[in-house]
Amino acid sequence: MAELLSTKIHETLPEKYVRPETQRPLFSEVITDTKIPIIDLNSSVDQTIPQIDHACQSYGFFQVVNHGIPEELLLKVMAIAIEFFGLPAEEKEKLYTDDPTKKVRLSTSFNVRKETVHNWRDYLRLHCYPLEKFMPEWPSKPDLFQEVISTYCKEVRQLGMRLLGAISLSLGLEEDYIKEALGEQEQHMAVNFYPQCPEPELTYGLPAHTDPNALTILLQDPEVAGLHVLKDGKWIAVDPLPGALVINIGDQLQALSNGRYKSVWHRAVVNCNNERLSVASFLCPSNSALVSPAKKLTEITPPVYRDYTYDEYYKKFWSRNLDQEHCLELFKS
């Protein structure tokens, strides 16, 4: 069994976390002062739809404010996540697995069975829909864990469906086009814990990757930065904006939009002063959903991607290393 990082303090960076020189974060080259798209969901549809269209084409992600999820709940989610990773080692050991097919798993790095270099991250991954099916298997400690996380999951799903409707409209499609195309969507969550790292310039929390799902809603640590996104070949730091949520376009929306919207390359970096937490919620097509570019969008531009089921895509994604070439490249028509 690989050891969880959160069970002890590390004075030095173990060799198996050190990236080759050509694959390191190069903090001095990261841009920090850029205009990240922020969309106020209280604004009129006439304002938000063009903003979403611009953000999805030019960035592949945006931040939302006035999204309807109470800030008090966001703080509770962060607090319970910190409490979870602070549980005694023997409590966490009960949940540990490196089998990526498990519906509830506490693990470390990304895919320890396949990697040559590890990532400076522990994570708890949960299936969240339907709640009544998966919640009984979730951690029972800390005491309020199930209550707080399930409340957040319901809110996130509602927001996700609203955003998918807005993204459909921004593509010039019917509002419910994407929701219907993706079928009865699954919902997963990754609670990421990035401990203080003795040599952050040599490793990653997560290396550059795109998300294999449709839409990701990320709750960032309100105090500690660590998310970078790639735009025009440069890494941009996405500093936390209190109360905001980060929305990532995933691979399935890139395929559905026939390449008009970009699945964003992003990475997590670590630091030597503070631990950092993030909570990512993933909306995923149902396994049997047939994903293909929307017919309306292939009238002018021929289909960039072939039809495939999400099940086929997801299996391919998990059979590879995280930072290999874009998985979608393997599904071009």
Side-chain angles (χ1 to χ4, degrees):
M1 168 179 138
E3 192 180 319
L4 290 170
L5 292 168
S6 53
T7 51
K8 65 179 190 188
I9 302 290
H10 297 264
E11 302 294 336
T12 56
L13 188 70
E15 192 60 39
K16 62 187 175 189
Y17 290 90
V18 177
R19 292 262 156 195
E21 219 160 304
T22 54
Q23 294 173 20
R24 292 175 187 173
L26 295 175
F27 291 125
S28 59
E29 292 179 14
V30 175
I31 300 168
T32 51
D33 56 351
T34 183
K35 293 293 259 185
I36 304 287
I38 297 168
I39 295 172
D40 183 344
L41 293 184
N42 266 354
S43 304
S44 70
V45 171
D46 293 349
Q47 273 181 297
T48 54
I49 299 302
Q51 289 174 339
I52 287 174
D53 183 48
H54 172 72
C56 293
Q57 285 193 66
S58 51
Y59 285 84
F61 90 110
F62 50 92
Q63 299 194 76
V64 290
V65 293
N66 291 320
H67 42 66
I69 303 182
E71 192 157 358
E72 185 193 355
L73 178 58
L74 303 183
L75 294 171
K76 278 184 181 169
V77 169
M78 276 290 159
I80 207 90
I82 288 169
E83 216 182 313
F84 173 81
F85 282 102
L87 288 171
E90 59 276 11
E91 197 61 50
K92 289 187 287 199
E93 216 158 272
K94 295 176 196 168
L95 295 161
Y96 183 89
T97 173
D98 55 16
D99 177 358
T101 62
K102 287 274 192 289
K103 303 283 192 247
V104 173
R105 72 181 191 275
L106 174 62
S107 199
T108 191
S109 190
F110 173 71
N111 192 348
V112 283
R113 292 182 177 184
K114 291 194 70 64
E115 295 161 347
T116 45
V117 183
H118 292 333
N119 304 296
W120 198 255
R121 164 182 95 133
D122 286 348
Y123 65 96
L124 173 67
R125 199 162 171 113
L126 305 171
H127 280 229
C128 311
Y129 184 84
L131 273 170
E132 58 277 7
K133 180 178 173 187
F134 294 115
M135 217 170 104
E137 298 169 33
W138 287 3
S140 53
K141 289 187 175 148
D143 291 344
L144 291 173
F145 183 89
Q146 293 190 2
E147 186 186 318
V148 171
I149 298 297
S150 63
T151 306
Y152 179 66
C153 286
K154 284 181 218 162
E155 293 275 359
V156 159
R157 191 174 184 87
Q158 228 174 331
L159 173 62
M161 294 304 166
R162 186 177 161 197
L163 288 167
L164 288 175
I167 290 165
S168 280
L169 290 173
S170 72
L171 285 166
L173 304 168
E174 297 289 324
E175 188 169 0
D176 57 1
Y177 179 87
I178 292 176
K179 275 186 278 191
E180 291 189 358
L182 300 179
E184 186 72 2
Q185 287 177 70
E186 290 199 8
Q187 183 179 342
H188 305 167
M189 174 187 275
V191 185
N192 300 308
F193 180 74
Y194 305 101
Q196 282 171 268
C197 178
E199 295 176 277
E201 66 285 354
L202 302 182
T203 192
Y204 287 106
L206 275 176
H209 65 286
T210 63
D211 289 344
N213 52 298
L215 194 73
T216 302
I217 299 175
L218 180 76
L219 172 59
Q220 286 218 77
D221 191 310
E223 308 291 332
V224 187
L227 172 66
H228 294 168
V229 300
L230 191 64
K231 184 177 190 300
D232 304 327
K234 299 249 190 314
W235 286 104
I236 299 169
V238 184
D239 289 338
L241 182 65
L245 292 164
V246 175
I247 311 300
N248 284 355
I249 298 297
D251 295 350
Q252 306 317 310
L253 290 185
Q254 180 167 326
L256 235 144
S257 70
N258 204 30
R260 175 165 151 185
Y261 289 172
K262 298 290 177 274
S263 180
V264 66
W265 283 93
H266 54 291
R267 67 187 190 184
V269 295
V270 290
N271 72 80
C272 54
N273 300 318
N274 304 98
E275 58 190 36
R276 175 175 173 263
L277 261 165
S278 71
V279 180
S281 297
F282 307 103
L283 285 178
C284 316
S286 87
N287 273 334
S288 58
L290 191 66
V291 180
S292 62
K295 292 287 172 278
K296 188 174 177 184
L297 303 178
T298 58
E299 285 162 10
I300 303 152
T301 316
V304 179
Y305 305 104
R306 68 171 174 85
D307 298 4
Y308 56 85
T309 63
Y310 185 58
D311 190 44
E312 183 189 353
Y313 193 89
Y314 202 65
K315 283 186 174 130
K316 178 66 75 182
F317 181 87
W318 276 97
S319 71
R320 303 155 64 257
N321 274 337
L322 188 60
D323 47 2
Q324 276 176 280
E325 82 290 337
H326 201 309
C327 192
L328 259 183
E329 291 293 313
L330 309 171
F331 292 85
K332 287 203 154 166
S333 53

